[in-house]
Amino acid sequence: MNESEYFHIPVHVDLPHAAERVAFSPDGRRLAVGAGWRLFGGNERRGLSVVDAESGEIVWTTADLNFLDLTFTPDSQRLAVSALSHNSELRIVLFQVSDGKKLWEVPGAGFLAFSPDATLLGVDGVIEGVGGELPHSFVLGADNGALLHKQGSSMSIPGFTADSRLMCTGCPSVVEASTGTPRWTAGSHENPSAAVFTDDDDAVLFASARDSHILVLQVEPGLDGAPGIRSAVDAPELFNADQWIGGISFSPGRGMILQLGRQDLTLISVTDGSVLHRFPKTKPAIDIAAAFRADDKQLALNIPVPPAAHDMSGAGISVIDTRTGAALWSDPGLECTDLAPSADGARLAAVGETSLLVYELGLPARSRCDCQGAVSALATSAEAGIVAAAAASNLFVFRVATGEIMLDRGHPGPIGDVAISPDGHSVVTACSVGGCRHYDTLTRKRWIGKHDAPVNAVAFSDDSKRVATGSSDKTARLYDRTPGANTEDQTPLWSHQHPQSVSHVVLGPAAAWVATACLDRKVRILSGSTGDELHGPFEHDGKIRAIAVAGTTLVTASDDGSALVIDAVSGQRRFRLEHPGKVTTAAVSPDAALLATAGTGNDCHIWRIDGAEPVLLHLLTTRAIVNDLVFGADGHLVIATEHPIVAVVDPDTGREIERLIHPKAVSRLASGVDGSVIATGCADNLARVYEMREE
């Protein structure tokens, strides 16, 4: 099996029993894997194992059972299973996840769903002595397995409102979840159907193969006791659903229906009933496993898409982009029988024969830190193994290896920028009130470099000895990081006056020069010794949005649609690179050979700038508007956009070689001096650190 650039397999476990059913715990820490059963008999290699999802270690195992379905409670503490015992008895069993203790067992079988508060277990199936041979909807008490109520015939797993008060079934019906008292019911529905509450829980989405329609039904009945129909959509394709529970199912986001048809699989729009995408079916519907990511953007199937030529085995796994219908990646080698995604969508568990595989859909984070707010600034020193992240008026400094917080400091105002010395001994912040603040990470002592207005930018020299600041008081200043006599007002080595606010600042090698960007749209290169102007000014026609440096190469990016490439030692403007729109971010590779630029569109330019003339190597189409760019020391380019996936790109080929999966968009990136780690600042308030894998 070949790992692709879209996934790798950190966990591969050989189990002591058949592996044909799998479920991920909601907290992502555990996997339940069981031998399979499809109403037509079970595997002779019976058994159930709970596995640590990170290490692959088997936590506990039990034998003598085959399984139709497995599901965890929302708190991940208990596991319910629908099973067939060695003497062919149907059983629904509840286990304690931590140690495998059997909490209760009742006769019956079906497909399972817990209420959000974990007090109720919904079942679509059969309970011994109740309801006949056709599947019905039942509710059991989760504490003891007692049958609380039974509803009509249905081929849809029950759904619950977020507060667990109401339940909907595929009859269709809406009932009080704990008592079964109906709000309304349509009786029974003996063909494939699906019913779920809308996101706001004030209506039920109902799809029927028999009637080939999609209805939005009011939760509260009308005066005649029947459900009010808010909307109705014809969906002719539903009629072709295979006669099996789960033949029709809604995506988690309620925007699509997956239909397991007689000839193929189809994704159907809930909005208008049209077929969005169609996939050839290479195995019977009863053997199809499908799993949506929580955001509906991806669908995993246990079939190859497109089917392999001259291979009718149906073996393989494919992950589909639901917007385009294209396969994001496929692994054709595994004879997979079931799939389960983790709640955050970053991992996919697959089982087949006696194996469990966990696909990491992007590089896992090495560590993370909760910044308790949107990350506004980020810096890292890979050599020292620390990261600094700012959110609102708070600074967090934490360790790359563990996420342990070394320093947590509040400020009198918002922090707009942060920098770490390459040796990791110093962190400096740009605060909107009172100037910059320098912290010694070893002693935790601090000094303040005062300004008369907000500090907009800070930077360290590559020898860690100097700190540069740029402020709205129209000055750029240079400080020695060693504290002076007055730590409440550190005396600068020099201060250079500008005509307007200084928005950006960077230092050259050994602080030989300091480059500034000013709101007068000009870049100046100042002497590191005296602060006198050495070169420039270099003028843009629009606001300067970014400034980057590598060695003696200085790059600026502007709203005027250009990026300037400047030799900071000679003061020569080497190139002016034009773009179709504003340029808002730029990054230079550590060897100063490559430049990446991006603006307000969904694109990223990669240039070679070490020759006599610039060369555009690639114009990449990004997933969304680019927020930030950074190069690692290995030369790989990291691209953060408004899309939750951060892309790691090989700039030579333009090919995406890694993905860093996030739940929300990433606004900030940072790379350490040696480029071995990448830090990200996500809209979920977490700063994450990724250790870049060797190719």
Side-chain angles (χ1 to χ4, degrees):
M1 183 184 305
N2 294 320
E3 296 185 2
S4 79
E5 64 268 28
Y6 295 105
F7 71 90
H8 71 289
I9 304 173
V11 175
H12 185 169
V13 183
D14 289 322
L15 295 157
H17 51 76
E20 296 163 319
R21 299 290 176 273
V22 64
F24 239 119
S25 63
D27 65 6
R29 297 180 59 243
R30 295 289 185 261
L31 285 157
V33 184
W37 161 56
R38 292 278 194 192
L39 297 179
F40 307 118
N43 196 301
E44 291 302 315
R45 301 186 66 180
R46 304 178 185 91
L48 169 69
S49 294
V50 167
V51 178
D52 185 296
E54 294 290 340
S55 66
E57 178 185 357
I58 297 175
V59 180
W60 55 265
T61 296
T62 184
D64 294 334
L65 293 173
N66 288 309
F67 300 91
L68 179 66
D69 198 17
L70 315 164
T71 190
F72 287 89
T73 50
D75 63 4
S76 304
Q77 300 302 304
R78 292 170 289 166
L79 172 69
V81 303
S82 172
L84 179 73
S85 69
H86 67 283
N87 55 4
S88 300
E89 293 178 339
L90 303 180
R91 290 287 182 265
I92 297 174
V93 187
L94 189 70
F95 292 98
Q96 191 162 277
V97 170
S98 60
D99 56 10
K101 179 183 178 182
K102 187 184 294 185
L103 301 176
W104 52 256
E105 179 178 349
V106 297
F111 293 89
L112 312 173
F114 278 104
S115 60
D117 65 3
T119 62
L120 306 172
L121 178 62
V123 183
D124 192 72
V126 295
I127 299 293
E128 188 173 305
V130 182
E133 296 181 356
L134 293 174
H136 286 66
S137 295
F138 301 88
V139 171
L140 307 179
D143 57 344
N144 57 14
L147 176 63
L148 301 181
H149 59 87
K150 175 183 77 71
Q151 302 302 315
S153 177
S154 168
M155 296 182 72
S156 174
I157 302 172
F160 295 90
T161 52
D163 61 8
S164 302
R165 289 181 56 247
L166 300 178
M167 182 182 83
C168 64
T169 75
C171 299
S173 66
V174 172
V175 302
E176 298 289 335
S178 59
T179 66
T181 303
R183 294 290 179 93
W184 55 261
T185 181
S188 294
H189 194 291
E190 297 174 1
N191 295 86
S193 63
V196 293
F197 286 102
T198 55
D199 288 338
D200 55 10
D201 287 340
D202 72 342
V204 173
L205 282 171
F206 176 68
S208 167
R210 181 188 66 192
D211 302 321
S212 301
H213 61 204
I214 304 168
L215 305 178
V216 180
L217 304 171
Q218 296 287 147
V219 167
E220 299 300 332
L223 294 176
D224 59 356
I229 299 176
R230 185 180 297 178
S231 66
V233 171
D234 289 331
E237 188 68 27
L238 291 175
F239 184 76
N240 295 318
D242 208 297
Q243 299 298 304
W244 180 248
I245 298 172
I248 296 173
S249 59
F250 285 96
S251 63
R254 289 20 175 201
M256 290 170 283
I257 293 172
L258 175 64
Q259 180 214 236
L260 307 183
R262 298 182 180 92
Q263 302 298 325
D264 46 30
L265 284 69
T266 53
L267 280 178
I268 298 171
S269 168
V270 170
T271 304
D272 59 14
S274 63
V275 174
L276 300 174
H277 307 294
R278 193 182 301 272
F279 311 104
K281 192 173 70 173
T282 54
K283 58 180 67 174
I286 198 171
D287 294 325
I288 295 289
F292 281 98
R293 236 175 66 158
D295 60 8
D296 281 8
K297 292 181 179 179
Q298 294 178 11
L299 171 67
L301 299 169
N302 67 336
I303 58 174
V305 176
H310 310 297
D311 182 4
M312 301 306 294
S313 67
I317 298 173
S318 300
V319 173
I320 308 300
D321 184 329
T322 55
R323 291 164 292 184
T324 65
L328 293 174
W329 58 264
S330 294
D331 182 358
L334 179 68
E335 182 60 65
C336 174
T337 54
D338 201 11
L339 298 164
S342 60
D344 62 5
R347 289 172 292 172
L348 178 68
V351 291
E353 298 180 349
T354 61
S355 294
L356 162 68
L357 283 73
V358 178
Y359 293 78
E360 191 75 57
L361 308 183
L363 192 66
R366 171 75 181 271
S367 61
R368 51 185 59 79
C369 175
D370 185 353
C371 298
Q372 303 167 23
V375 178
S376 58
L378 196 64
T380 182
S381 170
E383 179 182 354
I386 63 173
V387 173
S393 59
N394 296 308
L395 168 70
F396 300 90
V397 180
F398 64 97
R399 298 189 189 280
V400 166
T402 63
E404 173 194 357
I405 294 177
M406 302 168 56
L407 204 63
D408 179 355
R409 293 290 184 269
H411 286 57
I415 301 169
D417 196 15
V418 63
I420 298 181
S421 61
D423 64 10
H425 294 170
S426 298
V427 176
V428 65
T429 59
C431 184
S432 65
V433 178
C436 74
R437 281 161 174 77
H438 173 281
Y439 298 91
D440 187 311
T441 60
L442 301 179
T443 67
R444 295 180 174 81
K445 293 181 179 180
R446 69 118 168 92
W447 55 256
I448 297 175
K450 288 190 174 179
H451 280 266
D452 297 326
V455 178
N456 301 314
V458 290
F460 272 102
S461 59
D462 59 359
D463 60 8
S464 301
K465 295 179 179 180
R466 298 288 188 263
V467 177
T469 62
S471 169
S472 293
D473 67 5
K474 304 180 183 179
T475 66
R477 297 177 182 177
L478 190 70
Y479 295 89
D480 191 301
R481 79 165 176 181
T482 303
N486 185 0
T487 56
E488 296 301 306
D489 189 5
Q490 178 90 339
T491 301
L493 299 174
W494 52 255
S495 178
H496 184 93
Q497 192 72 25
H498 290 65
Q500 295 186 41
S501 295
V502 180
S503 58
H504 298 80
V505 62
V506 295
L507 286 98
W513 49 266
V514 177
T516 65
C518 180
L519 290 189
D520 67 354
R521 299 176 281 104
K522 295 176 182 178
V523 175
R524 295 168 173 85
I525 299 176
L526 313 177
S527 167
S529 302
T530 65
D532 296 333
E533 192 167 317
L534 296 176
H535 305 296
F538 304 91
E539 189 167 1
H540 279 280
D541 296 331
K543 183 177 181 179
I544 298 170
R545 294 289 183 178
I547 187 168
V549 64
T552 62
T553 297
L554 179 68
V555 174
T556 64
S558 169
D559 281 352
D560 66 9
S562 74
L564 301 183
V565 180
I566 301 164
D567 185 315
V569 173
S570 67
Q572 176 188 3
R573 192 187 85 177
R574 296 178 58 217
F575 313 122
R576 179 185 172 98
L577 306 176
E578 300 293 348
H579 298 69
K582 297 176 180 179
V583 186
T584 58
T585 184
V588 186
S589 63
D591 62 2
L594 300 175
L595 167 66
T597 56
T600 55
N602 288 26
D603 52 39
C604 175
H605 295 70
I606 301 178
W607 311 82
R608 179 164 287 281
I609 57 171
D610 58 350
E613 296 293 333
V615 177
L616 179 62
L617 297 178
H618 303 286
L619 177 57
L620 306 179
T621 299
T622 58
R623 292 181 171 89
I625 295 172
V626 176
N627 289 331
D628 206 0
L629 301 167
V630 71
F631 276 97
D634 56 6
H636 291 160
L637 174 65
V638 186
I639 305 173
T641 72
E642 287 298 319
H643 191 283
I645 294 177
V646 173
V648 181
V649 174
D650 181 341
D652 292 331
T653 64
R655 183 174 63 92
E656 186 178 276
I657 59 172
E658 188 59 85
R659 301 191 305 169
L660 312 180
I661 308 297
H662 294 73
K664 295 182 179 180
V666 167
S667 59
R668 295 290 183 268
L669 295 171
S671 174
V673 173
D674 66 3
S676 63
V677 300
I678 297 294
T680 65
C682 181
D684 67 350
N685 300 341
L686 293 185
R688 293 174 172 83
V689 181
Y690 296 85
E691 195 167 47
M692 305 308 292
R693 282 200 305 265
E694 294 293 331
E695 287 279 318

